[in-house]
Amino acid sequence: MNLDPLLAETLGERPPLPPPPEEAESRPGLAGRAWRALYEVADPELPLSIADLGLVREVTVNEHTGLAFLQLTFTATACPCMDFIEWDIRKRLLQEDGIEQIEIEVVWDPPWTASCISERGREILGGFGVAA
Amino acid sequence: MTRFRSPSDLPPGDRTRLGHLLLALADNKRLLGIRYSDWILGAPSVEAGIACSAMSQDEWGHGRIVYSMLKDFDHDPRQLEFLREADGYLNSEVVDSEAPTWPDLIALNLLWDTALSVQFDVLAEGSYEPLHHKSRKLLQEERYHFDHAVGWSERLMTGSGGEAALAGACGAIWNSCIRWFGESDDPLISPLADLGLVPRPRVTRARWLARVGPVAGLLGLAVESGEVESDEEGQWVGAPELHWEGWSASRRRRQDGGPDEDSLARVRGDRNRVLVADA
């Protein structure tokens, strides 16, 4: 069941996320495509992608089996959006040709701090009046 | 010192013991989260209620991290989470039921939450490496809990009647907190200390006293109790005579009892678990 149209109608459209930055464009192979796709996965609470927020620590893809492996962290150990973020990642990555399965490992070291947000992520937040 | 990178690197008996300690920590985290949540509504101010909400979430998050580690220690996560009765929990008696007053909650915040943080602190410095990685975020978040406890202790000590109420509240749980680190020959901790996984009980207890002793001292609690004292250099140290009546080293608590009925139902999610498809 896809409730996205209902959410968009009720909550309004989210501001569009910027395209992946140059350094992501240069990543090779299926892992590179997976990285770029993660710039399209929005944090549920902030107008940023999870990649710009600094939640993605590692992405590898086995091109033979189609298994994508991600190391992911969260802003807090009790982040209420953990499940939503993982669901959104799976949904987006499985749209990529060649990716058949997703394995996500949650890591906590080094701990997430605001310094993990990308430079352009800070600028986006600044545009919404949020200093990071 | 030998470093252990996974549970399978540990001798079998010690793997079981470390898993048991982690289960006690996870149970305490989950129950403490419930105790904070009891005061989200009814705290002295809206801000204090919001702080309880945040600390409650943190404790549940910490519990989740530790429970998730236990599958590597031959525990069944589903059994741990949903199928235990009260006497199977390893939480301290101090979080069995709701803190009856705000000073009682601040006493838990100051003494018990700090005891758990100190235990994670020493595990993070010990020879079991996965805990180094898992503990850093947890300890980062716990700094604010200690700030909250000290700030509210100061506030209560300056208010009318607050000092006596806080001293009474701290006194009521003091012995449970100070003995939680175990006796000198504790059958759970001593073998783990031999492997460098944790320090000896007196060392961990001294670290806890160094944090909470100054506040307890201001309350007149530590000195009057005769259980702790400040040495010539002002360090808070444990005196040898602690009260061990009823203590169970295996349950890491008073032998009898467990979470009360309401707490148990909330911990296990009894009321609504049937609604979760994958539970």
Side-chain angles (χ1 to χ4, degrees), chain A residues 74-80 82 106 108-113, chain B residues 57-58 60-62 64-65 132-134 136-138 140-141:
Chain A
F74 293 99
T75 56
T77 58
C79 169
M82 285 178 177
V106 177
W108 297 105
D109 193 19
W112 185 93
T113 65
Chain B
Q57 286 187 65
D58 287 343
W60 277 59
H62 302 168
R64 177 163 56 184
I65 288 175
H132 302 187
H133 307 300
K134 305 269 184 186
R136 286 184 65 193
K137 183 70 179 175
L138 181 157
Q140 179 197 58
E141 292 176 343

Side-chain angles (χ1 to χ4, degrees), chain B residues 243-259:
Chain B
H243 304 300
W244 296 102
E245 307 85 52
W247 165 253
S248 162
S250 62
R251 290 195 71 198
R252 314 307 297 167
R253 57 167 291 138
R254 194 177 64 212
Q255 175 58 44
D256 58 319

Side-chain angles (χ1 to χ4, degrees), chain B residues 31-235:
Chain B
L31 265 297
L32 181 58
I34 286 188
R35 299 292 71 97
Y36 283 133
S37 78
D38 294 331
W39 281 88
I40 294 172
L41 302 175
S45 66
V46 170
E47 290 74 18
I50 292 168
C52 285
S53 171
M55 292 191 293
S56 177
Q57 286 187 65
D58 287 343
E59 297 302 345
W60 277 59
H62 302 168
R64 177 163 56 184
I65 288 175
V66 184
Y67 282 123
S68 72
M69 296 177 75
L70 287 168
K71 63 180 183 304
D72 298 329
F73 286 85
D74 309 322
H75 283 280
D76 171 5
R78 183 179 165 78
Q79 196 275 337
L80 288 182
E81 193 150 11
F82 301 127
L83 302 176
R84 284 183 295 161
E85 296 301 326
D87 61 5
Y89 279 78
L90 304 181
N91 62 286
S92 167
E93 59 271 19
V94 302
V95 286
D96 274 349
S97 53
E98 183 176 345
T101 69
W102 181 250
D104 286 304
L105 185 78
I106 297 305
L108 280 181
N109 186 190
L110 176 69
L111 302 182
W112 188 237
D113 206 346
T114 304
L116 300 178
S117 297
V118 165
Q119 188 65 64
F120 277 106
D121 243 349
V122 297
L123 281 164
E125 295 165 5
S127 57
Y128 186 64
E129 289 188 353
L131 275 163
H132 302 187
H133 307 300
K134 305 269 184 186
S135 300
R136 286 184 65 193
K137 183 70 179 175
L138 181 157
L139 291 167
Q140 179 197 58
E141 292 176 343
E142 282 293 339
R143 283 186 213 141
Y144 303 106
H145 296 207
F146 189 67
D147 278 354
H148 184 268
V150 171
W152 264 101
S153 295
E154 286 176 346
R155 196 165 170 185
L156 287 169
M157 279 189 258
T158 54
S160 121
E163 182 168 355
L166 182 60
C170 286
I173 64 170
W174 182 262
N175 193 59
S176 295
C177 297
I178 197 168
R179 74 181 182 177
W180 190 74
F181 303 104
E183 296 186 77
S184 57
D185 58 350
D186 188 285
L188 183 73
I189 302 296
S190 295
L192 298 179
D194 291 340
L195 288 178
L197 294 159
V198 290
R200 301 281 164 201
R202 65 178 168 76
V203 175
T204 314
R205 185 167 18 252
R207 191 181 289 200
W208 176 77
L209 285 166
R211 290 206 200 154
V212 304
V215 181
L218 286 175
L219 291 167
L221 177 75
V223 176
E224 282 179 10
S225 74
E227 290 167 350
V228 293
E229 57 191 8
S230 179
D231 68 13
E232 288 170 2
E233 294 171 351
Q235 294 293 308

